[in-house]
Structures are given as structure tokens and as C-alpha cells.
């Protein structure tokens, strides 16, 4: 690519970003809390917003409050604190609960919930009873065509595969042109070998129909592949709300760092303005005070190894992953780091290696920061 082309591509990307950022907010949660019965809140102080046409992923481990957040947006759960706005309208607060049918949200849940006694075409047409028959037919046909179900329109749900049932559920939700589409773990009941293709198809469909969507998942790879922005939840609280790249490269907490990929935490000490560790010096980017005990977060893609007889770090294990080799390296202190090498770089266990850390940025946390989910 020539320099001119590169500059054009960069300015195109900047323009696209500016355009995306100027889009109106469709959904906003402000300090939302939700409690089942009178116990501990299932979610607390939850704030994020979704712009028109954006795909937001709610990501976190089982039980962290993803489904509860989605149910609060849909109006199935009242909120005990804060407020939810849909298309600028207050729909939930401790004193407000606009009913689900007035919120114009679309929903695709784990089990699809299709009507078993209705054919595909009738399932999709179900929410359009208010339209004249010819308009209804035209819209349903367009939608079936878009999701590739035209040939199956006379079938009943039990005559379809899991993937096809999911497309019916999607078509049924999308045909109503929802303000926002809510998807709860939409790939969890599909065969794992189908999910890659289904993710791509779903993303294309959402982009094509300019649908704003909130998608729940516990799988960071799915969130990375699907999302424009990700909200990472832990124990009912929002830990970080940002782009997939920022969530991966500059995690806001040790929990996020750990949850979205392999992360090692190497202890360090702030001395003479830099962070001294067993594997070298790092810049004190956050500006911690002299003497602060910190940990440096390292990803395997930041660490390169070279066999070297004079070194004290050693290969403890190698995991062949097809496109890469993931090495576990033992340091003299007993700490370990991981290194991602090309799939053809094969060294035996026990080899002494020199470490080269080539992180483009340093992620630091204080040593006593909780690393695992609380509770
Ligand atoms: P996730 O979807 O992230 O797995 P949920 O939102 O389903 O998590 O659950 C969040 C918390 O709320 C969990 O501690 C769960 O046990 C609790 N919870 C979920 N549904 C109910 C319910 N109907 N009654 C009481 N507690 C619930
Ligand atoms: Mg759930």
C-alpha cells in the first residue's frame, strides 16, 4: 500500500469513527440497580449507553448479572435504583415501569421460544397482526429472504435445526423493527462448529438492517468478534465499558485482564520513577508513588523467547495451538509468564531462554488489587 493510500485509509477510519460517535444514543442505563426479593442486589450502579446501530456485548462469568440487566432493559424486572432510557424516554426507575409491549424491544433468548404449532412464516408474521395483510406478507417475505429461510417457510419449528430455529427467532424479532434487539447467549445451544459462521451471519444481518443490539455472552472471543463496544460485568458491577481493543490491551482491572485472555501478573516495585521487575524495567505510566508495590500485566503476545544457555528462565511447558505455540516460562522467583511463538518455533521443555518483552504499553495494578471475582 502506498503512503497516500495508507493516509486515505486512516482518514476514512477516522471519519467513520467520528460518524459513529455522532450517532444518537438509543439506550442508556444510569446507575441501575436490580434486586430479587430483598436480598443483595443482582446488579448495582450499572451505567452504560448504546448508540444507534451499535452492537454492545455484555460480557462476564455466569451469575454476574447479564440476564438480569437484559431483563431490566426489556421491562421484565423492575429496577430498585437508577433509570433506564430507551430512545430518550424514561422507561424504568424505582417509580416507573413502562410495560414490555410499549418498549419496542426485540428479544432472542437462549431457547428461542418459537411457537411450536405455527409454521416458520406464521412465527415470523406473529408480531405484525396490526398491519394490512399485503403489507404484512411483503415484510415477512423480505425478512425470510434476508435470513435465508424462504425455502423452509412451511416447516414447523421441530422440523428445523438449532441454527435454523435461531434464524426464525431473529427474523421474528427483526421484522418488527425494534428500537433495540436484545440477545441472551444466542449461540449457546448451537453446535460449537457452527457458531463461527452464525456469528458472522448475525453481525452482517445486524449491520445490514442497521439494528442496535445488546448481546449477552460469557465468551470473550464471541464478544471480540461481535461487539463495537463491550461492557464487562463482575459480581453485579460494571468493571469496564470500552472497545474490544481497549478491553484487551488496557484492561481497567485485574479481573478484566484475566477474563478476556491469558494474563500474567509480575510483581514490581516503583523505584527511581520506573517499575523494577524480575523481567526488566517498565515505565511508571500511572504515576505510582516511590516504593509502591505493583504488578505488571503481561500478555503472551508481548513476550518473545530466544533459547540462551546463560539464562535462568526455563521452558516449563509447550502447548501447540495450531497457529501458535504457547510456552509457559518459569522465572527464578517461581513466577511464570507465557509466550506466544509461531507454530514452527518448537523448543523442548527445560530449555533456558532469554525473555524479550515488547509490550506497546504497560498495564500496572497495585499489588493488593483483587484479581479474581469477589464473593
Ligand atoms: P448471568 O446471566 O450473568 O449468568 P443472572 O443475571 O441470571 O446472571 O443472575 C445474577 C444474580 O441474580 C445471580 O446471583 C443469580 O443467582 C440471581 N438471580 C437470577 N435470577 C433470579 C431470580 N429469579 N430470583 C432470585 N435471584 C436470581
Ligand atoms: Mg444469563
Amino acid at each position: 500500500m502506498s503512503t497516500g493510500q495508507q493516509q486515505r485509509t486512516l482518514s476514512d477510519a477516522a471519519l467513520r469513527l467520528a460518524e459513529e460517535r455522532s450517532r444518537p444514543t438509543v439506550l442508556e442505563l444510569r446507575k441501575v440497580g436490580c434486586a430479587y426479593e430483598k436480598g443483595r442486589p443482582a446488579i448495582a450502579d450499572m451505567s452504560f449507553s448504546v448508540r444507534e446501530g451499535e452492537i454492545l456485548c455484555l460480557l462476564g462469568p455466569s451469575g454476574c448479572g447479564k440476564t438480569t440487566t437484559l431483563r431490566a432493559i426489556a421491562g421484565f424486572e423492575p429496577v430498585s435504583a437508577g433509570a433506564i432510557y430507551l430512545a430518550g424516554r424514561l422507561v424504568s426507575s424505582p417509580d416507573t415501569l413502562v410495560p414490555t409491549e410499549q418498549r419496542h424491544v426485540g428479544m432472542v433468548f437462549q431457547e428461542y421460544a418459537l411457537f411450536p404449532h405455527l409454521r416458520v412464516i406464521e412465527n415470523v408474521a406473529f408480531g405484525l397482526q396490526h398491519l394490512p395483510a399485503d403489507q404484512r406478507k411483503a415484510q415477512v417475505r423480505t425478512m425470510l429472504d434476508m435470513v435465508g429461510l424462504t425455502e423452509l417457510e412451511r416447516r414447523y419449528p421441530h422440523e428445523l435445526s438449532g441454527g435454523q430455529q435461531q434464524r426464525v427467532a431473529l427474523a421474528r424479532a427483526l421484522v418488527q423493527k425494534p428500537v433495540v434487539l436484545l440477545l441472551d447467549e444466542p449461540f449457546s445451544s448451537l453446535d460449537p462448529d457452527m457458531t463461527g459462521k452464525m456469528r458472522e451471519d448475525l453481525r452482517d444481518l445486524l449491520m445490514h438492517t442497521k439494528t442496535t443490539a445488546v448481546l449477552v455472552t460469557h465468551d470473550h472471543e464471541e464478544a471480540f468478534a461481535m461487539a463495537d463496544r463491550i461492557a464487562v460485568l463482575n459480581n453485579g458491577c460494571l468493571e469496564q465499558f470500552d472497545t474490544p481493543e481497549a478491553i484487551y490491551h488496557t484492561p481497567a482491572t485485574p479481573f478484566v485482564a484475566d477474563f478476556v485472555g491469558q494474563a500474567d501478573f509480575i510483581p514490581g516495585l516503583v523505584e527511581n520513577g520506573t517499575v523494577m521487575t524480575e523481567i526488566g524495567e517498565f515505565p511508571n505510566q500511572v504515576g505510582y508513588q516511590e516504593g509502591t508495590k505493583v504488578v505488571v500485566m503481561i500478555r503472551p503476545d508481548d513476550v518473545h523467547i530466544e533459547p540462551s544457555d546463560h539464562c535462568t528462565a526455563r521452558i516449563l511447558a509447550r502447548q501447540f495451538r495450531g497457529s501458535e505455540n504457547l510456552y509457559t516460562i518459569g522465572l527464578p522467583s517461581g513466577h511464570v509468564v507465557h509466550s506466544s511463538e509461531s507454530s514452527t518455533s518448537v523448543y523442548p521443555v527445560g530449555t533456558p531462554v532469554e525473555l524479550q518483552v515488547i509490550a506497546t504499553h504497560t498495564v500496572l495494578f497495585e499489588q493488593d488489587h483483587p484479581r479474581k471475582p469477589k464473593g
Side-chain angles (χ1 to χ4, degrees), residues 126-245:
F126 189 80
L128 298 180
Q129 308 295 341
H130 57 286
L131 293 181
D134 54 340
Q135 259 187 50
R136 187 166 67 227
K137 268 193 193 141
Q139 289 188 18
V140 171
R141 291 234 171 281
T142 310
M143 187 47 70
L144 286 174
D145 188 39
M146 215 181 279
V147 297
L149 282 172
T150 304
E151 291 184 357
L152 304 176
E153 64 176 43
R154 309 293 303 160
R155 296 226 188 143
Y156 288 95
H158 72 269
E159 297 169 329
L160 302 174
S161 72
Q164 290 163 344
Q165 287 184 34
Q166 190 204 46
R167 278 189 275 152
V168 180
L170 265 174
R172 187 178 60 178
L174 284 178
V175 80
Q176 299 195 60
K177 302 194 171 60
V179 172
V180 56
L181 179 67
L182 308 174
L183 303 123
D184 195 352
E185 311 244 7
F187 306 107
S188 60
S189 40
L190 299 179
D191 290 340
D193 59 343
M194 282 180 63
T195 52
K197 171 88 173 78
M198 296 297 289
R199 280 177 198 163
E200 263 176 49
D201 288 352
L202 176 59
R203 195 169 155 84
D204 286 351
L205 183 65
L206 295 178
M207 306 276 269
H208 186 68
T209 52
K210 299 190 168 58
T211 304
T212 310
V214 179
L215 186 148
V216 158
T217 179
H218 62 272
D219 177 346
H220 69 271
E221 284 182 13
E222 186 163 304
F224 287 166
M226 295 292 300
D228 296 307
R229 284 191 293 173
I230 298 177
V232 185
L233 273 55
N234 176 25
N235 206 16
C237 299
L238 181 72
E239 295 249 336
Q240 191 169 5
F241 175 47
D242 217 323
T243 60
E245 290 80 4

Side-chain angles (χ1 to χ4, degrees), residues 82-98:
I84 302 178
Y85 294 83
L86 264 172
R89 174 187 180 204
L90 176 70
V91 290
S92 287
S93 76
D95 311 316
T96 319
L97 186 65
V98 171

